[in-house]
Each structure stands twice: as structure tokens, then as C-alpha cells.
Coordinates of all heavy atoms in Angstrom, one line a residue:
M1 N 0.8 -1.2 0.0 CA 0.0 0.0 0.0 C 0.9 1.3 0.0 O 1.9 1.3 0.7 CB -0.9 0.0 1.2 CG -1.9 -1.1 1.3 SD -3.3 -0.8 0.2 CE -4.4 0.1 1.3
K2 N 0.4 2.2 -0.7 CA 1.1 3.5 -0.7 C 0.3 4.4 0.3 O -0.8 4.2 0.6 CB 0.9 4.2 -2.1 CG 1.8 3.5 -3.2 CD 3.2 3.7 -2.9 CE 4.1 3.3 -4.1 NZ 5.5 3.6 -3.9
K3 N 1.1 5.4 0.8 CA 0.5 6.4 1.7 C 0.8 7.8 1.3 O 2.0 8.1 1.1 CB 1.0 6.1 3.1 CG 0.4 7.1 4.2 CD 0.9 6.7 5.6 CE 0.4 7.7 6.6 NZ 0.9 7.4 7.9
L4 N -0.2 8.6 1.2 CA 0.0 10.0 0.8 C -0.6 10.9 2.0 O -1.8 10.8 2.3 CB -0.8 10.3 -0.5 CG -0.7 11.8 -1.0 CD1 0.7 12.1 -1.4 CD2 -1.6 12.0 -2.2
E5 N 0.3 11.7 2.6 CA -0.2 12.6 3.6 C -0.9 13.7 3.0 O -0.5 14.3 1.9 CB 1.0 13.2 4.4 CG 1.8 12.1 5.2 CD 3.0 12.7 5.9 OE1 3.3 13.9 5.7 OE2 3.6 12.0 6.7
I6 N -2.1 14.1 3.6 CA -2.9 15.2 3.0 C -3.3 16.1 4.2 O -3.8 15.7 5.2 CB -4.2 14.6 2.4 CG1 -3.8 13.6 1.3 CG2 -5.1 15.7 1.9 CD1 -5.0 12.9 0.7
N7 N -3.0 17.4 4.0 CA -3.3 18.4 5.0 C -4.5 19.2 4.6 O -4.7 19.5 3.4 CB -2.1 19.3 5.3 CG -0.9 18.5 5.9 OD1 -1.1 17.8 6.8 ND2 0.3 18.7 5.3
G8 N -5.3 19.7 5.5 CA -6.4 20.6 5.3 C -7.7 19.9 5.3 O -8.7 20.6 5.2
M9 N -7.8 18.6 5.6 CA -9.1 18.0 5.7 C -9.6 18.2 7.1 O -8.9 17.9 8.0 CB -9.0 16.5 5.4 CG -8.5 16.1 4.0 SD -8.7 14.3 3.7 CE -7.5 13.6 4.8
S10 N -10.9 18.7 7.2 CA -11.4 18.9 8.5 C -12.8 18.3 8.7 O -13.4 18.5 9.8 CB -11.4 20.4 8.8 OG -12.0 21.1 7.8
C11 N -13.4 17.6 7.7 CA -14.6 17.0 8.0 C -14.8 15.8 7.0 O -14.0 15.6 6.1 CB -15.8 18.0 7.8 SG -16.2 18.4 6.1
S12 N -15.9 15.1 7.2 CA -16.1 13.9 6.3 C -16.4 14.2 4.9 O -16.3 13.4 4.0 CB -17.2 13.0 6.9 OG -18.4 13.8 6.9
H13 N -16.9 15.5 4.6 CA -17.1 15.9 3.3 C -15.7 16.1 2.6 O -15.6 15.8 1.4 CB -17.9 17.2 3.2 CG -19.3 17.0 3.8 ND1 -19.6 17.7 5.0 CD2 -20.3 16.3 3.5 CE1 -20.8 17.3 5.3 NE2 -21.3 16.5 4.4
C14 N -14.8 16.6 3.3 CA -13.4 16.7 2.8 C -12.9 15.4 2.4 O -12.3 15.2 1.3 CB -12.5 17.3 3.9 SG -12.9 19.0 4.4
T15 N -13.0 14.4 3.3 CA -12.5 13.1 2.9 C -13.2 12.5 1.7 O -12.5 11.8 0.9 CB -12.6 12.1 4.1 OG1 -13.9 12.0 4.5 CG2 -11.8 12.6 5.3
A16 N -14.5 12.8 1.6 CA -15.2 12.3 0.4 C -14.7 12.9 -0.8 O -14.6 12.2 -1.9 CB -16.7 12.5 0.6
S17 N -14.4 14.2 -0.8 CA -13.8 14.9 -2.0 C -12.5 14.3 -2.4 O -12.2 14.1 -3.6 CB -13.7 16.4 -1.7 OG -14.9 17.0 -1.4
V18 N -11.7 14.1 -1.4 CA -10.4 13.5 -1.7 C -10.5 12.1 -2.3 O -9.9 11.7 -3.2 CB -9.5 13.4 -0.4 CG1 -8.3 12.5 -0.6 CG2 -9.1 14.8 0.0
F19 N -11.4 11.3 -1.7 CA -11.7 10.0 -2.2 C -12.1 10.0 -3.7 O -11.6 9.3 -4.6 CB -12.8 9.3 -1.4 CG -13.1 7.9 -1.9 CD1 -12.4 6.8 -1.3 CD2 -13.9 7.6 -3.0 CE1 -12.7 5.5 -1.8 CE2 -14.2 6.3 -3.4 CZ -13.6 5.3 -2.8
E20 N -13.0 10.9 -4.0 CA -13.5 11.1 -5.4 C -12.3 11.5 -6.4 O -12.2 10.9 -7.5 CB -14.6 12.2 -5.5 CG -15.9 11.7 -5.1 CD -17.0 12.8 -5.3 OE1 -16.9 13.6 -6.2 OE2 -17.9 12.8 -4.5
A21 N -11.5 12.4 -5.9 CA -10.4 12.8 -6.7 C -9.4 11.7 -7.0 O -8.9 11.5 -8.1 CB -9.7 14.0 -6.1
L22 N -9.2 10.9 -6.0 CA -8.2 9.8 -6.2 C -8.9 8.7 -7.0 O -8.2 8.0 -7.8 CB -7.8 9.2 -4.8 CG -7.0 10.1 -4.0 CD1 -6.7 9.5 -2.6 CD2 -5.6 10.4 -4.6
D23 N -10.2 8.5 -6.8 CA -10.9 7.4 -7.5 C -10.9 7.7 -9.0 O -11.1 6.7 -9.8 CB -12.3 7.3 -7.0 CG -13.0 6.0 -7.3 OD1 -12.3 5.0 -7.3 OD2 -14.2 6.0 -7.6
K24 N -10.7 8.9 -9.5 CA -10.7 9.3 -10.9 C -9.4 8.9 -11.5 O -9.3 8.9 -12.8 CB -11.0 10.8 -11.1 CG -12.4 11.1 -10.9 CD -12.6 12.6 -11.1 CE -14.0 13.1 -10.7 NZ -14.1 14.5 -10.4
I25 N -8.4 8.7 -10.7 CA -7.0 8.4 -11.3 C -7.0 6.9 -11.7 O -7.3 6.0 -10.9 CB -5.9 8.7 -10.2 CG1 -5.9 10.2 -9.9 CG2 -4.6 8.2 -10.8 CD1 -5.0 10.6 -8.8
E26 N -6.7 6.7 -12.9 CA -6.7 5.3 -13.5 C -5.7 4.4 -12.7 O -4.5 4.8 -12.6 CB -6.3 5.4 -15.0 CG -6.5 4.2 -15.8 CD -8.0 3.9 -16.0 OE1 -8.8 4.8 -16.1 OE2 -8.3 2.7 -16.0
G27 N -6.2 3.3 -12.3 CA -5.3 2.3 -11.7 C -5.3 2.3 -10.2 O -4.7 1.3 -9.6
L28 N -5.7 3.3 -9.5 CA -5.7 3.3 -8.1 C -6.8 2.3 -7.5 O -7.9 2.2 -8.0 CB -6.0 4.6 -7.5 CG -5.0 5.8 -7.6 CD1 -5.2 6.7 -6.4 CD2 -3.6 5.3 -7.7
R29 N -6.4 1.5 -6.5 CA -7.3 0.5 -6.0 C -7.2 0.6 -4.5 O -6.2 1.1 -3.9 CB -6.8 -0.9 -6.4 CG -6.8 -1.2 -7.9 CD -8.3 -1.3 -8.4 NE -8.3 -1.6 -9.8 CZ -8.4 -0.7 -10.8 NH1 -8.5 0.6 -10.4 NH2 -8.5 -1.1 -12.0
N30 N -8.2 0.0 -3.8 CA -8.2 -0.1 -2.4 C -8.0 1.3 -1.7 O -7.2 1.4 -0.8 CB -7.2 -1.1 -1.9 CG -7.5 -2.5 -2.4 OD1 -7.0 -2.8 -3.5 ND2 -8.2 -3.3 -1.7
I31 N -8.7 2.3 -2.2 CA -8.5 3.7 -1.7 C -9.2 3.8 -0.3 O -10.3 3.5 -0.1 CB -9.1 4.7 -2.7 CG1 -8.4 4.6 -4.0 CG2 -8.9 6.1 -2.1 CD1 -9.1 5.3 -5.1
G32 N -8.4 4.4 0.6 CA -9.0 4.7 1.9 C -8.5 6.1 2.3 O -7.4 6.5 1.9
V33 N -9.4 6.9 2.9 CA -9.0 8.3 3.3 C -9.3 8.5 4.8 O -10.4 8.2 5.2 CB -9.7 9.4 2.5 CG1 -9.2 10.8 2.9 CG2 -9.6 9.2 1.0
S34 N -8.3 8.8 5.5 CA -8.4 9.0 7.0 C -8.3 10.4 7.4 O -7.3 11.1 7.2 CB -7.4 8.2 7.7 OG -7.4 8.5 9.1
L35 N -9.4 10.9 8.0 CA -9.4 12.3 8.5 C -8.5 12.3 9.7 O -7.6 13.3 9.9 CB -10.8 12.6 9.0 CG -11.2 14.0 9.5 CD1 -10.9 15.1 8.5 CD2 -12.6 14.1 9.9
E36 N -8.6 11.4 10.6 CA -7.8 11.3 11.8 C -6.3 11.2 11.5 O -5.5 11.9 12.2 CB -8.2 10.1 12.6 CG -7.7 10.0 14.0 CD -8.2 8.9 14.8 OE1 -8.8 8.0 14.3 OE2 -8.1 8.9 16.1
D37 N -5.9 10.4 10.6 CA -4.5 10.2 10.3 C -4.0 11.1 9.2 O -2.8 11.1 8.9 CB -4.3 8.7 9.8 CG -4.6 7.7 10.9 OD1 -4.5 8.1 12.1 OD2 -4.9 6.6 10.6
K38 N -4.8 12.0 8.7 CA -4.4 13.0 7.7 C -3.7 12.3 6.5 O -2.6 12.7 6.1 CB -3.6 14.1 8.3 CG -4.3 14.9 9.3 CD -3.4 15.9 10.0 CE -4.2 16.7 11.0 NZ -3.3 17.5 11.9
C39 N -4.3 11.3 5.9 CA -3.7 10.6 4.8 C -4.6 9.8 4.0 O -5.8 9.6 4.4 CB -2.6 9.7 5.3 SG -3.2 8.2 6.1
A40 N -4.2 9.4 2.8 CA -4.9 8.5 2.0 C -4.0 7.3 1.8 O -2.8 7.4 1.7 CB -5.2 9.1 0.6
T41 N -4.6 6.1 1.7 CA -3.8 4.9 1.4 C -4.5 4.2 0.3 O -5.7 4.3 0.1 CB -3.8 3.9 2.6 OG1 -5.1 3.7 3.1 CG2 -3.0 4.5 3.8
F42 N -3.7 3.6 -0.6 CA -4.2 2.9 -1.8 C -3.1 2.1 -2.4 O -1.9 2.2 -2.0 CB -4.6 4.0 -2.8 CG -3.7 5.1 -3.0 CD1 -2.6 5.0 -3.7 CD2 -3.9 6.3 -2.3 CE1 -1.7 6.1 -3.9 CE2 -3.0 7.4 -2.4 CZ -1.9 7.3 -3.2
K43 N -3.5 1.2 -3.3 CA -2.5 0.5 -4.2 C -2.5 1.3 -5.5 O -3.5 1.7 -6.0 CB -3.0 -0.9 -4.4 CG -3.0 -1.8 -3.1 CD -3.4 -3.2 -3.5 CE -3.5 -4.0 -2.2 NZ -4.1 -5.3 -2.4
A44 N -1.3 1.5 -6.0 CA -1.1 2.3 -7.2 C -0.1 1.6 -8.1 O 1.0 1.2 -7.6 CB -0.6 3.7 -6.9
P45 N -0.4 1.5 -9.4 CA 0.6 1.0 -10.3 C 1.7 2.0 -10.5 O 1.6 3.2 -10.2 CB -0.2 0.8 -11.6 CG -1.3 1.8 -11.5 CD -1.6 1.9 -10.1
D46 N 2.9 1.5 -11.1 CA 4.0 2.4 -11.3 C 3.7 3.5 -12.2 O 4.4 4.6 -12.2 CB 5.2 1.6 -11.8 CG 5.8 0.6 -10.7 OD1 5.5 0.9 -9.6 OD2 6.4 -0.3 -11.1
S47 N 2.7 3.4 -13.1 CA 2.3 4.4 -14.0 C 1.8 5.6 -13.4 O 1.7 6.7 -14.0 CB 1.3 3.8 -15.0 OG 0.2 3.3 -14.4
V48 N 1.3 5.5 -12.1 CA 0.8 6.7 -11.4 C 1.9 7.4 -10.7 O 2.6 6.8 -9.9 CB -0.3 6.3 -10.4 CG1 -0.7 7.5 -9.6 CG2 -1.5 5.6 -11.1
T49 N 2.1 8.7 -11.1 CA 3.3 9.4 -10.5 C 2.9 10.2 -9.3 O 1.7 10.6 -9.1 CB 3.9 10.4 -11.6 OG1 2.9 11.4 -11.9 CG2 4.2 9.6 -12.8
E50 N 3.9 10.6 -8.5 CA 3.6 11.4 -7.3 C 3.1 12.8 -7.7 O 2.2 13.3 -7.1 CB 5.0 11.6 -6.5 CG 4.8 12.4 -5.3 CD 6.0 12.4 -4.4 OE1 7.0 11.7 -4.7 OE2 6.0 13.1 -3.3
E51 N 3.6 13.3 -8.9 CA 3.2 14.6 -9.4 C 1.7 14.5 -9.7 O 1.0 15.5 -9.5 CB 4.0 15.0 -10.6 CG 5.4 15.4 -10.3 CD 5.4 16.5 -9.2 OE1 4.7 17.5 -9.3 OE2 6.2 16.4 -8.2
Q52 N 1.3 13.5 -10.3 CA -0.1 13.3 -10.7 C -1.0 13.3 -9.5 O -2.1 13.9 -9.5 CB -0.2 11.9 -11.5 CG -1.6 11.7 -12.1 CD -1.6 10.3 -12.8 OE1 -0.6 9.6 -12.8 NE2 -2.7 9.9 -13.3
L53 N -0.6 12.6 -8.5 CA -1.4 12.5 -7.2 C -1.4 13.9 -6.6 O -2.5 14.4 -6.1 CB -0.7 11.5 -6.2 CG -0.8 10.1 -6.7 CD1 0.2 9.2 -5.9 CD2 -2.2 9.5 -6.6
K54 N -0.3 14.6 -6.5 CA -0.2 15.9 -5.9 C -1.1 16.9 -6.7 O -1.9 17.7 -6.0 CB 1.2 16.5 -6.0 CG 2.1 16.0 -4.9 CD 3.5 16.7 -4.9 CE 4.4 16.2 -3.9 NZ 5.7 16.8 -4.0
A55 N -1.1 16.8 -8.0 CA -2.0 17.7 -8.8 C -3.4 17.5 -8.5 O -4.2 18.4 -8.4 CB -1.6 17.5 -10.3
A56 N -3.8 16.2 -8.4 CA -5.2 15.9 -8.2 C -5.7 16.4 -6.8 O -6.8 16.9 -6.7 CB -5.4 14.4 -8.2
I57 N -4.8 16.4 -5.8 CA -5.2 16.8 -4.5 C -5.2 18.3 -4.4 O -6.1 18.9 -3.8 CB -4.3 16.1 -3.4 CG1 -4.5 14.6 -3.5 CG2 -4.7 16.7 -2.0 CD1 -5.9 14.1 -3.2
T58 N -4.2 18.9 -4.9 CA -4.1 20.4 -4.8 C -5.2 21.1 -5.6 O -5.6 22.1 -5.2 CB -2.7 20.9 -5.2 OG1 -2.4 20.5 -6.5 CG2 -1.6 20.4 -4.3
A59 N -5.6 20.4 -6.7 CA -6.7 21.0 -7.5 C -8.0 21.1 -6.8 O -8.8 22.0 -7.1 CB -6.9 20.1 -8.8
I60 N -8.2 20.3 -5.7 CA -9.4 20.4 -5.0 C -9.2 21.1 -3.6 O -10.1 21.1 -2.7 CB -10.1 19.1 -4.8 CG1 -9.2 18.1 -4.1 CG2 -10.6 18.5 -6.1 CD1 -9.9 16.8 -3.6
G61 N -8.0 21.8 -3.5 CA -7.9 22.6 -2.3 C -7.2 22.1 -1.1 O -7.2 22.7 0.0
F62 N -6.6 20.9 -1.2 CA -5.8 20.4 -0.1 C -4.3 20.3 -0.4 O -3.9 20.5 -1.6 CB -6.3 19.0 0.3 CG -7.8 19.0 0.6 CD1 -8.7 18.5 -0.3 CD2 -8.3 19.4 1.8 CE1 -10.1 18.5 0.0 CE2 -9.6 19.5 2.1 CZ -10.5 19.0 1.2
E63 N -3.5 20.2 0.6 CA -2.1 20.1 0.5 C -1.6 18.7 0.7 O -2.1 18.0 1.7 CB -1.4 21.1 1.4 CG -1.7 22.6 1.0 CD -1.0 23.6 1.9 OE1 -0.4 23.1 2.9 OE2 -1.0 24.7 1.6
V64 N -0.6 18.3 0.0 CA 0.0 17.0 0.2 C 1.3 17.1 0.9 O 2.1 18.1 0.8 CB 0.2 16.2 -1.1 CG1 -1.2 16.0 -1.8 CG2 1.1 17.0 -2.1
G65 N 1.6 16.1 1.7 CA 2.9 16.0 2.4 C 3.7 14.8 1.8 O 3.7 14.6 0.6
E66 N 4.2 14.0 2.6 CA 5.1 12.9 2.2 C 4.3 11.8 1.5 O 3.2 11.5 1.9 CB 5.8 12.4 3.4 CG 7.1 11.7 3.1 CD 7.8 11.2 4.4 OE1 7.4 11.6 5.5 OE2 8.7 10.4 4.2
Y67 N 4.9 11.3 0.5 CA 4.4 10.1 -0.2 C 5.3 8.9 -0.1 O 6.5 9.0 -0.4 CB 4.2 10.5 -1.7 CG 3.6 9.4 -2.6 CD1 2.4 8.8 -2.2 CD2 4.3 9.0 -3.8 CE1 1.9 7.8 -3.0 CE2 3.7 8.0 -4.6 CZ 2.5 7.4 -4.2 OH 1.9 6.4 -5.0
T68 N 4.8 7.9 0.6 CA 5.6 6.8 0.9 C 4.9 5.5 0.4 O 3.7 5.4 0.3 CB 5.9 6.7 2.4 OG1 4.7 6.7 3.1 CG2 6.8 7.8 2.8
Ligands
9UX1 MO1 -16.7 21.6 5.2 MO2 -14.7 19.8 5.0 O1 -16.3 23.2 4.3 O2 -14.1 21.3 4.3 S1 -16.2 20.1 3.4 S2 -14.9 21.3 6.6

């Protein structure tokens, strides 16, 4: 599983928005978004880049941190 830190989420609607944005990215599977842990976890193929993930999240108004 990959983990992407996401800052700025403060309610369950925020996590739903993040989920939707990630769900639109081709190839992501097993997506989970945690308000409490300030992160998203998922399985991603090598074709999905960190830049692509960052762009998807910043486009909807959140900030990304470490991607591991
Ligand atoms: Mo409500 Mo979550 O504005 O932003 S959707 S706190």
C-alpha cells in the first residue's frame, strides 16, 4: 500500500472529496482516506506518478505531504 499525507481535511465531506479525486485516477485500488491520520492509502501501479497525485489533491484545495 502507498500512503499520501494530506493536510487541510477537516470533515467527512473533505475526505469524500479526496476519495473522489483519487478514484478518478486510473489504476488506483483499495483507496482509503483517513481524517484522523491525515492521509490516503491505496494501491497504485508504477504508471501513477507522485506529481499526478499531488496535482489531483491540490486541484481540490488540499495540500499534500510525504508520499511513501
Ligand atoms: Mo466543510 Mo470539510 O467546508 O471542508 S467540506 S470542513
Side-chain angles (χ1 to χ4, degrees):
M1 295 283 271
K2 291 293 193 173
K3 179 178 177 181
L4 179 65
E5 293 178 352
I6 300 172
N7 295 313
M9 298 189 293
S10 48
C11 76
S12 61
H13 301 110
C14 298
T15 59
S17 297
V18 167
F19 182 94
E20 277 182 35
L22 293 174
D23 198 39
K24 284 179 189 161
I25 297 175
E26 193 70 33
L28 290 208
R29 297 287 182 268
N30 299 87
I31 301 167
V33 183
S34 172
L35 184 60
E36 189 176 17
D37 296 335
K38 297 178 180 166
C39 72
T41 52
F42 45 80
K43 290 180 183 172
D46 292 340
S47 56
V48 175
T49 66
E50 182 170 358
E51 286 309 311
Q52 186 182 0
L53 293 164
K54 279 186 182 177
I57 298 302
T58 57
I60 58 167
F62 301 103
E63 292 184 351
V64 298
E66 206 178 345
Y67 181 50
T68 53

